[in-house]
Amino acid sequence: MKNKSFQHFGIPFGVIVVLFVSSLNLSPTAPKRPEEVWVIRSVLDKQPRMLSVALDSSCYIAYSLTRCQLYKAWKGGVSLDGAPYTDKKEIQPSSWGASYWIDSTNTNQWGAVKNGISVFNKITHQGYTLKNNQIFIRFALVLSSHDTVWVEECPEFVQEKSGKIGLERTFKTQNVPVGVEVNLKSTGTQIALKSNGTTSYTAYFSPLPDQVQLILKSDPIHSGRALMEKTDCFTCHNIQEDEVGPSFQKIAQKYPYDKKNVAKLSLKIKKGSRGTWGNGLMNPHPNLTSAELTAMVEYIFTLKPKEKPRSTQKLATPPQDLPQKPKEPGFGAPLEGVHPSYDLVNLHTAAFKPRVGGLAFLSDGRLLVTTWDKVGGVYLLDGVTAGDARKISVKRIAFGLAEPLGIEVVNDEIYVLQKQELTKLVDLDGDEIIDEYQTICNSWDVSADFHEFAFGLVYKEGYFYAALSMAMRLKPGEKQLPDRGKTIKIAKNGSFEMVNFGLRTPNGIGSGVDNELFVTDNQGQWLPANKLIHVKKGEYHGMQWGWLSDDPAPEMAMPAIWLPQNEIGNSPSEPVLIREGIFKGQMLHGDVTYGGINRDYLEKIEGQYQGAVFMFSQGFEAGVNRLRWGPDGALYVGEVGMVGGGWSWKERLSGLQRLKYNGKSTFEMLAVRAKPKGFEIEFTEPLKQNTQLRPADLWMQQWWYLPTKNYGGPKMDLEELKPTQITVSENRKRIYIEVPDLKPKHVVHFQLPKQLKSQSGQSLWSGEAWYTLNVIPQNL
């Protein structure tokens, strides 16, 4: 044992005690931590792939898992800000308080030398283990000889009887070749680690006063702007560009500034509205006072652009929507209840109501739930198939994960997709609490942008599949990172490859028809509507931010089904295949913002999937994020949301429910099939005897979508279709519709008459369908 006094990593800490011991020296009793969730994966201080550890109320530390280095030690805490934590977009977690030490210039480096020559190649993070309430972080240091040295670090807060505090870092190395020395080096300092042994370093800090989390004061802003930042206004609106809703500048430009319009817009904000800018719904804000509403509207009017001199050039008249029929649930408006053939039961309770990021079943029928929240947890639920929340036991088995939006079970091994990593969860001692968080893959491109989600997870034929969304708040001139907006295929050895690209927010990937992969994507810039996409190698799906070349972008691949915005969807989520019953072979997908579940019928024409989407069910607790079939044949529905429009259904945030077939028949469209001169519609029940359908009874439109740089996009060449003939089949379960002037690469919208009845006297559950006619069949 030998003591030295020197500068640790080039920073004067005071006295550093260096100990060489034969094995890791764990505390005899489990140390207490200042936070229940004391290990956190997240973005931190605008840096991706960070690991924060709350060792003590006087000592927090954070590691950069990209550099495999200690980033900071400080007194204070972590401010968990952002969409899953505080329902605010555009921000991420940050540290607060005073630093004992910080590697702000990234001077710390790993090294390995042999005979005075560097043999270091690279180092990667391999995960960590939690044992006895301590953390053991693992790194793989690869040498130029291709040998891999394993390094494990256990950080711990220490305090002497005198009150002096410090940070002890204990390293254990394995598989170090003879003659190789592993070291940590910084400016003027190089610290050798004992080969195939254990080394401890203790740094004692100068004391710091108690820390208080400060709220920084910004420059004075308009009182209306300040109020809007505290509500959900900037969730759906931007200053200059349209997003979910119109830009504030466009709103200000539409109305003359006077008391009448200030009062009018104030009332719209308070009560909510729909129809002025399309079918999108603006949420009501009943708790805002008249003074607050007035201040907000006054601020919006300050954004009105200055009028430009009028041009004498005649402008083209934009296309106008065709007249609409009266809207009722299932006939021009969303459904309002649960599908009659299914019973819905709550699996959540007041004590456990998760914001669901992922669902998966173990082979014994127990359900795993990941949560999109501050805990970043994985929960094990027993008894869910009983359909009685009172009989369900809930056990948290993992925590601290970064926005886990996917989970998969492979041979009863648990894999979780975090925001920036695919992780295997391992229980080492049989108590069903996760001890080891193994890194499988963390090498795809990431930044600190709030919108860089990773969605999934699907395991198929030895590979994992996930979908990566794009960043949304890039600086001028800044491009997307190369891996963003792609479906990726991940091998168990950690390598990955791109499958398709040009996606925006692909919140859902699943195995569907013909065991093929499908992904949903959300409308936005360059995406005029939502999509259900068949995942095919090398296809480009239109989001031009993901085209990084200066050459013209390739032609956009057509989706299997367009999901028209604010008609059948707004934020589509995970698709699943229906494996039993009358809809066997079709698919379902959820929607977070529009709410509910939709049904997808697909057929293959000339080697390409296309088909129809139908309303299926509403009536759920919150926006539907994840769907998973259980061993009992029921559909388990995981729900999520955040305060503010755009990412929630009716401002509801969480829920876990079960949808189970009750044996009742429901009269609705079973399928819509394309024919050379029209369509065939098949029903779940025969039509009522002597049903007569005239062409005028069926309302049809067609259009195509033009992707633009704006949020959403216009329906181009929108026109009403006039069927010339409707023929009812002998068994009255099918009708054939002959329609002239059909065009490929168009969406065809059907609305059947509400008065249509089945033989059993049932009315249609839903009378609408949207068929994506990529190809008109020639020989059917």
Side-chain angles (χ1 to χ4, degrees):
M1 187 178 296
K2 189 176 181 180
N3 292 344
K4 290 186 178 180
S5 178
F6 61 102
Q7 287 189 345
H8 184 51
F9 296 153
I11 304 296
F13 269 162
V15 178
I16 310 292
V17 180
V18 185
L19 303 173
F20 296 95
V21 294
S22 59
S23 61
L24 287 182
N25 203 6
L26 296 176
S27 302
T29 58
K32 292 183 179 180
R33 304 302 181 195
E35 308 279 354
E36 181 190 7
V37 179
W38 62 281
V39 176
I40 302 169
R41 293 292 303 276
S42 71
V43 169
L44 185 75
D45 297 347
K46 299 182 180 180
Q47 298 184 61
R49 292 196 174 113
M50 300 293 282
L51 173 70
S52 301
V53 184
L55 294 176
D56 185 83
S57 58
S58 297
C59 185
Y60 283 66
I61 61 173
Y63 290 81
S64 166
L65 300 183
T66 301
R67 300 182 56 248
C68 301
Q69 288 283 358
L70 182 67
Y71 155 68
K72 185 178 183 180
W74 76 99
K75 186 175 184 178
V78 176
S79 178
L80 285 176
D81 289 319
Y85 316 112
T86 54
D87 298 314
K88 294 180 180 179
K89 294 183 181 181
E90 304 186 39
I91 56 175
Q92 292 275 30
S94 59
S95 60
W96 62 269
S99 297
Y100 295 116
W101 173 83
I102 183 169
D103 184 20
S104 58
T105 57
N106 295 336
T107 56
N108 293 339
Q109 299 291 333
W110 285 95
V113 295
K114 184 176 183 179
N115 299 325
I117 299 173
S118 173
V119 292
F120 175 83
N121 183 10
K122 66 178 181 179
I123 189 167
T124 59
H125 172 243
Q126 297 295 306
Y128 55 87
T129 300
L130 301 179
K131 184 178 180 180
N132 200 33
N133 222 29
Q134 290 185 296
I135 185 169
F136 300 83
I137 309 165
R138 292 189 308 280
F139 306 110
L141 192 155
V142 181
L143 307 179
S144 56
S145 62
H146 303 296
D147 292 302
T148 299
V149 174
W150 298 98
V151 181
E152 184 175 78
E153 176 180 353
C154 177
E156 188 54 80
F157 171 77
V158 292
Q159 185 169 12
E160 292 189 335
K161 291 181 180 180
S162 63
K164 189 190 305 184
I165 64 173
L167 173 65
E168 180 185 61
R169 302 175 68 188
T170 304
F171 299 91
K172 181 178 180 180
T173 60
Q174 292 179 300
N175 203 41
V176 183
V178 175
V180 172
E181 180 184 280
V182 177
N183 55 68
L184 285 167
K185 52 188 175 181
S186 183
T187 305
T189 303
Q190 182 167 299
I191 304 169
L193 302 185
K194 185 177 181 180
S195 295
N196 302 315
T198 302
T199 310
S200 290
Y201 298 87
T202 301
Y204 290 99
F205 308 132
S206 298
L208 289 171
D210 290 341
Q211 300 295 302
V212 177
Q213 187 173 5
L214 300 177
I215 300 175
L216 297 177
K217 293 183 178 181
S218 56
D219 294 333
I221 60 173
H222 193 287
S223 60
R225 169 72 185 243
L227 288 164
M228 290 164 69
E229 289 181 347
K230 294 178 181 179
T231 63
D232 61 1
C233 297
F234 287 98
T235 303
C236 294
H237 301 276
N238 207 332
I239 298 293
Q240 294 178 313
E241 296 182 357
D242 294 345
E243 288 205 348
V244 178
S247 70
F248 289 125
Q249 284 190 350
K250 187 177 286 186
I251 295 170
Q253 207 165 16
K254 181 179 178 67
Y255 299 94
Y257 176 47
D258 54 38
K259 290 183 179 180
K260 180 180 178 181
N261 281 314
V262 170
K264 179 180 179 178
L265 292 176
S266 297
L267 189 62
K268 282 177 175 282
I269 297 171
K270 188 176 187 69
K271 293 188 174 182
S273 69
R274 166 181 266 162
T276 305
W277 303 93
N279 293 323
L281 173 66
M282 181 174 70
N283 296 307
H285 302 81
N287 296 325
L288 292 173
T289 67
S290 296
E292 290 171 334
L293 291 164
T294 298
M296 292 164 71
V297 174
E298 293 277 4
Y299 169 69
I300 292 172
F301 275 115
T302 68
L303 302 173
K304 180 176 288 194
K306 294 181 179 179
E307 291 189 7
K308 297 180 180 179
R310 293 187 178 182
S311 171
T312 57
Q313 182 179 359
K314 186 176 181 181
L315 299 177
T317 304
Q320 300 295 316
D321 284 347
L322 297 176
Q324 300 288 315
K325 284 192 169 187
K327 296 180 178 181
E328 299 180 48
F331 297 83
L335 296 168
E336 292 183 348
V338 178
H339 193 287
S341 297
Y342 293 82
D343 293 328
L344 182 68
V345 296
N346 292 340
L347 302 181
H348 56 255
T349 63
F352 180 70
K353 195 172 183 182
R355 298 170 82 172
V356 177
L359 299 173
F361 277 92
L362 293 169
S363 62
D364 60 11
R366 291 184 295 172
L367 177 62
L368 294 164
V369 179
T370 69
T371 56
W372 191 67
D373 56 13
K374 289 184 177 181
V375 173
V378 180
Y379 297 82
L380 180 61
L381 277 62
D382 196 0
V384 293
T385 57
D388 185 345
R390 296 170 299 179
K391 298 179 180 179
I392 296 174
S393 64
V394 179
K395 183 178 185 179
R396 192 181 77 191
I397 64 172
F399 65 89
L401 298 169
E403 302 186 45
L405 289 172
I407 185 169
E408 184 71 287
V409 174
V410 181
N411 299 323
D412 272 345
E413 294 179 337
I414 303 171
Y415 296 83
V416 172
L417 186 68
Q418 300 189 64
K419 187 181 185 76
Q420 299 169 345
E421 180 182 297
L422 174 60
T423 310
K424 182 179 179 181
L425 305 183
V426 182
D427 168 26
L428 296 174
D429 55 14
D431 64 356
E432 297 185 327
I433 301 297
I434 298 303
D435 306 296
E436 190 170 358
Y437 297 71
Q438 292 182 6
T439 299
I440 301 300
C441 180
N442 67 350
S443 51
W444 62 80
D445 293 320
V446 296
S447 73
D449 189 273
F450 82 99
H451 200 270
E452 282 190 355
F453 305 106
F455 300 113
L457 186 67
V458 172
Y459 182 76
K460 180 182 177 183
E461 299 172 354
Y463 294 90
F464 295 95
Y465 291 85
L468 308 179
S469 68
M470 290 192 178
M472 285 293 117
R473 293 294 182 267
L474 298 178
K475 297 177 182 177
E478 189 177 5
K479 288 187 175 182
Q480 296 285 338
L481 293 172
D483 293 329
R484 305 316 305 182
K486 295 180 178 179
T487 302
I488 60 173
K489 176 182 179 181
I490 307 170
K492 284 189 175 181
N493 66 7
S495 63
F496 77 94
E497 61 180 280
M498 179 268 286
V499 183
N500 63 5
F501 67 114
L503 305 172
R504 181 183 182 272
T505 315
N507 179 23
I509 183 169
S511 196
V513 176
D514 300 325
N515 200 32
E516 293 287 324
L517 287 175
F518 290 83
V519 66
T520 59
D521 203 2
N522 286 214
Q523 86 291 330
Q525 296 86 350
W526 298 106
L527 268 77
N530 309 283
K531 299 177 179 180
L532 175 69
I533 294 167
H534 175 217
V535 177
K536 295 175 69 176
K537 180 71 175 177
E539 283 195 339
Y540 169 68
H541 291 284
M543 179 50 158
Q544 289 203 11
W545 292 358
W547 180 247
L548 303 180
S549 171
D550 293 330
D551 296 330
E555 182 179 357
M556 181 191 75
M558 291 294 290
I561 302 178
W562 283 106
L563 308 172
Q565 183 182 354
N566 297 323
E567 295 177 39
I568 188 67
N570 193 291
S571 301
S573 55
E574 185 171 53
V576 295
L577 179 68
I578 304 172
R579 301 185 184 276
E580 297 178 347
I582 192 171
F583 300 120
K584 182 178 179 180
Q586 299 190 26
M587 297 170 65
L588 300 172
H589 71 266
D591 197 287
V592 174
T593 303
Y594 208 70
I597 298 174
N598 297 319
R599 176 167 55 89
D600 307 300
Y601 169 80
L602 289 171
E603 56 183 350
K604 210 169 190 179
I605 308 294
E606 298 183 10
Q608 184 174 357
Y609 286 110
Q610 60 186 45
V613 58
F614 311 90
M615 298 180 193
F616 183 72
S617 185
Q618 276 281 4
F620 299 98
E621 180 74 12
V624 175
N625 193 39
R626 296 291 177 257
L627 301 172
R628 190 61 60 109
W629 294 106
D632 56 348
L635 184 65
Y636 289 77
V637 183
E639 296 148 23
V640 78
M642 60 175 281
V643 175
W647 284 1
S648 65
W649 183 70
K650 295 187 176 180
E651 298 289 295
R652 299 179 186 176
L653 309 182
S654 56
L656 179 64
Q657 296 177 290
R658 187 185 76 159
L659 200 63
K660 189 170 178 60
Y661 181 61
N662 58 26
K664 297 176 183 177
S665 177
T666 300
F667 180 44
E668 58 189 314
M669 284 181 276
L670 176 63
V672 177
R673 301 180 180 93
K675 299 296 180 182
K677 295 183 179 180
F679 292 92
E680 176 188 84
I681 297 179
E682 182 179 1
F683 297 94
T684 56
E685 293 186 1
L687 296 173
K688 188 176 181 179
Q689 192 77 33
N690 299 322
T691 296
Q692 298 293 322
L693 271 172
R694 302 167 301 164
D697 294 331
L698 183 62
W699 189 64
M700 296 178 65
Q701 291 181 330
Q702 73 174 352
W703 65 86
W704 63 279
Y705 281 115
L706 177 66
T708 71
K709 65 181 180 180
N710 297 322
Y711 192 101
K715 292 178 177 180
M716 304 300 294
D717 299 325
L718 177 64
E719 60 180 329
E720 189 170 346
L721 294 171
K722 301 291 186 181
T724 56
Q725 183 178 339
I726 299 180
T727 305
V728 180
S729 68
E730 287 189 15
N731 65 4
R732 304 190 311 283
K733 289 193 72 174
R734 303 184 186 212
I735 61 174
Y736 172 71
I737 308 161
E738 190 168 301
V739 188
D741 302 322
L742 289 173
K743 299 170 184 174
K745 296 187 177 181
H746 278 57
V747 178
V748 180
H749 180 207
F750 300 79
Q751 186 168 321
L752 302 183
K754 193 175 189 307
Q755 62 270 22
L756 205 62
K757 299 283 187 180
S758 71
Q759 181 62 38
S760 64
Q762 288 195 63
S763 298
L764 277 171
W765 169 240
S766 171
E768 286 193 277
W770 291 261
Y771 190 100
T772 298
L773 189 64
N774 290 328
V775 178
I776 298 176
Q778 300 300 313
N779 300 303
L780 287 179

